Amino acid sequence: TLYRCSDGKNKVRIADDISTVIVYPKFVVYYTEMNTNDQYVVDIYVSTNDKDFEKIADEVTVVY
């Protein structure tokens, strides 16, 4: 589960089933895990401001 906290006290849930979070200087990207085998099918979200995220890709297959 991914949370955010802007005041150091109160956490707000952003999403469940997070597989990866990548923090860049100007935005955050997270992937939600949908399957677990030798491959993952993920949705990809990117931050649009300090509080909100937008889905930028749906059901992307990632193979490891």
Side-chain angles (χ1 to χ4, degrees), residues 2 20-30 47 53:
L2 179 63
T20 304
V21 175
I22 303 170
V23 179
Y24 295 97
K26 295 188 178 191
F27 59 92
V28 175
V29 174
Y30 73 85
S47 59
F53 287 81

Side-chain angles (χ1 to χ4, degrees), residues 2-57:
L2 179 63
Y3 294 91
R4 70 169 175 78
C5 182
S6 59
D7 64 4
K9 297 177 184 177
N10 300 308
K11 63 184 179 182
V12 177
R13 186 183 63 77
I14 295 172
D16 295 317
D17 299 327
I18 303 299
S19 65
T20 304
V21 175
I22 303 170
V23 179
Y24 295 97
K26 295 188 178 191
F27 59 92
V28 175
V29 174
Y30 73 85
Y31 301 170
T32 57
E33 184 176 318
M34 297 175 71
N35 296 328
T36 57
N37 294 325
D38 288 340
Q39 67 182 19
Y40 296 95
V41 177
V42 299
D43 293 338
I44 302 173
Y45 296 80
V46 65
S47 59
T48 57
N49 56 40
D50 291 342
K51 297 179 182 180
D52 301 313
F53 287 81
E54 176 183 350
K55 184 188 282 188
I56 61 167

